[in-house]
Amino acid sequence: MTYESPAYQSLTPIDQEAPHRVQRLRDLGLGESPDPEFDEFAQKLAHITRAPYAMVNFISEDRQYFAGLYTAPAGRAGNPDVAAGQPGRVMSRDHGYCPHVVVRRKALVLDDVCDYPRFAGNPVVDEIGIRSYLGAPLIDHTGMALGTICVVDTEPRPWGRQGLETIKSLAAELTERINRRSGR
């Protein structure tokens, strides 16, 4: 299922690599259960960026799985006027912005998702109250984009060049850990 904007512009990109990614994730034993190392990494990511939510996300053909997840304690998650839900470990592939990062194979910075018609209509805006996003792909030594690391906030955030460099650097750090797990 792909969401369409009023101008009929596809919001979720077609992912030709998904079947190969699913097999690679199976081979690595990733993307099917929570991982304490990835939870710790998500917490580190949230701390560095001062974001209320952070994820280590592996993407299959129809869903996203947050093997690493950090959510701020109650009362610190952002705008109290937003009746927001909490992100869980599993999310539809059509929700959020990480599928764009995986298909593009490039980091994505959205200071305010509402400034971008393509992204403003995403279900996470209404369901979780997401207003800003910062994410980067996890590309392993085989060249496969396995997933992403990302942080989100319920308020607009000026991530800037420093945010971009930070998320790319942390993605490279986690990718190296994943490569070591796979014996390379």
Side-chain angles (χ1 to χ4, degrees):
M1 178 173 173
T2 303
Y3 287 95
E4 305 257 343
S5 71
Y8 302 103
Q9 182 179 34
S10 173
L11 293 179
T12 304
I14 294 173
D15 185 354
Q16 302 292 343
E17 284 191 338
H20 302 291
R21 178 180 316 102
V22 169
Q23 185 58 53
R24 179 77 178 129
L25 290 170
R26 273 193 204 115
D27 293 346
L28 293 169
L30 298 174
E32 294 294 325
S33 61
D35 185 310
E37 180 183 359
F38 294 153
D39 281 342
E40 287 176 25
F41 194 87
Q43 184 174 6
K44 171 184 172 178
L45 182 57
H47 176 74
I48 289 170
T49 61
R50 296 187 311 275
Y53 305 108
M55 295 89 164
V56 176
N57 185 9
F58 297 108
I59 300 175
S60 69
E61 293 169 295
D62 59 352
R63 73 179 184 130
Q64 303 175 66
Y65 187 81
F66 302 126
L69 177 63
Y70 173 81
T71 60
R76 285 193 49 227
N79 186 347
D81 297 328
V82 175
Q86 290 283 327
R89 293 271 179 186
V90 178
M91 183 181 287
S92 168
R93 190 182 164 280
D94 291 333
H95 287 53
Y97 310 105
C98 291
H100 294 271
V101 172
V102 166
V103 170
R104 291 171 14 130
R105 304 170 65 84
K106 293 181 181 178
L108 178 62
V109 179
L110 300 171
D111 294 339
D112 185 343
V113 299
C114 294
D115 288 344
Y116 303 89
R118 163 173 233 158
F119 299 119
N122 195 285
V124 298
V125 174
D126 293 330
E127 293 174 16
I128 303 174
I130 300 304
R131 283 295 299 273
S132 60
Y133 172 91
L134 178 63
L138 298 169
I139 301 174
D140 76 354
H141 70 274
T142 70
M144 177 67 60
L146 301 173
T148 68
I149 61 168
C150 70
V151 294
V152 295
D153 202 331
T154 57
E155 297 181 17
R157 292 279 300 269
W159 301 109
R161 170 65 73 192
Q162 183 177 357
L164 175 63
E165 294 306 320
T166 297
I167 201 76
K168 288 168 58 176
S169 172
L170 289 166
E173 178 185 325
L174 186 58
T175 298
E176 183 54 38
R177 289 186 193 185
I178 292 169
N179 288 335
R180 283 195 303 265
R181 280 182 170 199
S182 69
R184 179 162 191 258

